[in-house]
Amino acid sequence: MREFKVHPIAWLAAMVAALTYAAPAADTRATGGGVRWVASWASAQIQLDAQAALPTAAPDDVTLRQLVRTSIGGSRIRLRVSNVFGTSPLTISGVDIARALSPRSSRIDPSTNHQITFAGARAVSIPAGAEYVSDPLEMSVPALATLAVSMHLASLPKLQTGHPGSRATSYFVAGNQLSAPEFRGAGTVDHWYYLSGLDVVPKRPSAAIAIVGDSITDGHGLVSNTDTRWTDYLAERLHASAAMRPLAVLNLGIGSNCLAQACVGPNTAARFSRDVLMRGGVQYVIILEGVNDLGMLTRDAPAPAETHRALVKRMIGALAQMTAQARERDIRVIGATIMPYGGSGYYHPDAANEADRRAVNEWIRAPGHFDAVLDFDALMRDPAHPNRLRKEFDSGDGLHPSPAGYRFMGEAVPLRLFTTGGPR
């Protein structure tokens, strides 16, 4: 594995942030008759546009197979299926789940295939604007395993709910082929549809880390089916530690998302309750958002000084609100500083944009605003040009990390942030 030299001041900043955090033991609250559900995988949902929707070539009578990767294992599972952005009922005639033979194909192990039910029935109709949770299923799944979720839909809603930045291939075929060992001649698309979460009943007390972000968390620029987002590296590091193994990692990034204004999908403040507070077992949340708010302000034209000040105030207000809401539920909030984007040809930021970024980051770093700080700005910036990403961590667009940069981010997160001894 390639080693990266870390700027000593940056590493010290991150370690100081970690050491100032007093982490609690794992949340042990139970739901549903004493059953302790913890989210193992999750996806932030948006209304899909025509480009991300299932292709018009997809038949009405279609089976969709989607691959997801667990972060922690368990002895029992349930699925979350979302029609939050639909305007008509989502009718599903059947859902199956099985172990996938590879993250790069539609093939499953038929001996592991199970049928999912909702209120005891195979078919389910989910009202517009709703999200349903399936019945519990006795199925043992390990950590870091790829699962195939197959859905049969007799017809496709006009407005589809899903996640365009899956970085995982989904497969669709005509007819009901829920239990087919492989989808031969399948159409493919790199998006997720309707599937918003997979919860498990862990074999030992566990908790989840929800990570809210934009395209940097979503994994912009990465090769599909490789599980190389920075959050994937963090999940692997946690799993490699016996003490940290019970901690799940939930990637809730949305490409081009904004913290406190309309961009792509609901802004972070608007989706925070559904994406974080309502997830099972969440004990920590990392918020890495804001670069799109900053960049969008002046992407097309300069803005007056008072507009810059209002944006900073609005961003800080959103961060403060989310922190207060999470703390009410005993969720510890880790604020991540906004990384430099001075080399972005898309946003072409000037000195005023950089001043805005520094002002928000100074607020994030200030004691008391968060329970801990993850200083990605200090870790990822070029020491000689602090308004830019380090060259080896820059994808080339001045905004998104390179594959090496994503890996560095995941490996630089101090595990001390998530409790010294792990969940007990």
Side-chain angles (χ1 to χ4, degrees):
M1 182 178 71
R2 180 181 175 187
E3 293 184 355
F4 300 102
K5 293 182 179 179
V6 183
H7 190 264
I9 295 177
W11 182 247
L12 178 60
M15 289 308 297
V16 168
L19 290 171
T20 58
Y21 177 55
D27 179 9
T28 58
R29 292 171 294 181
T31 60
V35 175
R36 168 81 175 138
W37 290 101
V38 178
S40 178
W41 171 87
S43 173
Q45 304 295 289
I46 67 171
Q47 180 181 302
L48 299 179
D49 59 19
Q51 185 177 1
L54 271 170
T56 54
D60 278 340
D61 180 17
V62 64
T63 303
L64 175 67
R65 181 164 288 173
Q66 307 179 79
L67 305 185
V68 302
R69 190 193 195 203
T70 63
S71 56
I72 59 171
S75 59
R76 199 184 314 183
I77 69 164
R78 67 182 185 185
L79 297 178
R80 294 179 177 270
V81 182
S82 179
N83 190 27
V84 167
F85 296 98
T87 55
S88 61
L90 168 65
T91 301
I92 302 173
S93 56
V95 181
D96 281 16
I97 187 167
R99 290 287 302 275
L101 293 181
S102 166
R104 298 174 180 84
S105 84
S106 67
R107 297 175 62 207
I108 63 169
D109 177 356
S111 68
T112 66
N113 195 60
H114 292 76
Q115 295 183 346
I116 296 290
T117 60
F118 296 81
R122 286 284 280 149
V124 62
S125 180
I126 303 175
E131 178 172 293
Y132 275 17
V133 179
S134 75
D135 297 334
L137 172 68
E138 297 292 335
M139 179 181 182
S140 180
V141 296
L144 304 181
T146 301
L147 303 179
V149 178
S150 303
M151 295 181 180
H152 179 243
L153 300 98
S155 62
L156 296 173
K158 182 178 180 180
L159 291 180
Q160 299 175 16
T161 296
H163 185 85
S166 63
R167 272 84 203 182
T169 301
S170 297
Y171 305 84
F172 59 93
V173 292
N176 187 338
Q177 299 193 43
L178 288 172
S179 60
E182 183 178 6
F183 282 8
R184 298 186 181 276
T188 60
V189 62
D190 285 7
H191 310 303
W192 283 314
Y193 302 90
Y194 309 116
L195 197 58
S196 65
L198 183 144
D199 302 337
V200 301
V201 177
K203 295 180 180 179
R204 58 180 287 194
S206 302
I209 305 164
I211 302 177
V212 182
D214 46 40
S215 57
I216 293 172
T217 295
D218 210 17
H220 174 87
L222 293 175
V223 176
S224 291
N225 308 313
T226 58
D227 295 316
T228 50
R229 311 166 192 83
W230 71 266
T231 58
D232 294 314
Y233 291 116
L234 175 59
E236 290 166 2
R237 289 176 61 215
L238 292 167
H239 180 70
S241 165
M244 299 291 180
R245 195 165 296 154
L247 286 170
V249 175
L250 311 178
N251 186 312
L252 296 164
I254 296 176
S256 299
N257 195 229
C258 281
L259 176 64
Q261 62 192 45
C263 290
V264 172
N267 62 64
T268 317
R271 66 187 178 96
F272 192 72
S273 178
R274 179 176 62 250
D275 283 348
V276 176
L277 304 182
M278 295 176 65
R279 301 282 178 183
V282 171
Q283 186 183 353
Y284 307 93
V285 58
I286 299 173
I287 304 174
L288 175 57
E289 280 269 21
V291 69
N292 292 316
D293 299 70
L294 297 171
M296 288 292 291
L297 180 65
T298 57
R299 183 170 68 93
D300 299 321
E306 59 268 23
T307 305
H308 281 273
R309 289 192 292 269
L311 173 66
V312 170
K313 183 177 181 180
R314 188 163 61 248
M315 292 174 66
I316 289 173
L319 291 170
Q321 279 292 316
M322 289 186 286
T323 300
Q325 293 171 22
R327 284 172 170 169
E328 285 181 356
R329 299 197 178 211
D330 296 324
I331 296 173
R332 302 306 185 191
V333 189
I334 301 167
T337 52
I338 302 169
M339 297 190 297
Y341 66 110
S344 171
Y346 181 71
Y347 284 140
H348 43 82
D350 58 16
N353 298 111
E354 177 63 8
D356 294 344
R357 187 181 73 90
R358 292 187 179 185
V360 176
N361 280 349
E362 287 173 5
W363 187 89
I364 291 172
R365 293 186 183 105
H369 292 152
F370 290 99
D371 299 302
V373 174
L374 182 51
D375 204 341
F376 277 136
D377 170 42
L379 288 166
M380 297 290 285
R381 69 191 178 207
D382 183 342
H385 305 281
N387 67 326
R388 294 174 177 261
L389 291 168
R390 291 169 57 183
K391 185 176 181 180
E392 64 268 37
F393 296 157
D394 188 343
S395 67
D397 68 4
L399 174 63
H400 298 96
S402 63
Y406 284 124
R407 182 165 195 157
F408 179 78
M409 289 174 67
E411 293 181 349
V413 177
L415 298 188
R416 192 186 296 267
L417 289 171
F418 313 115
T419 189
T420 305
R424 295 185 291 276

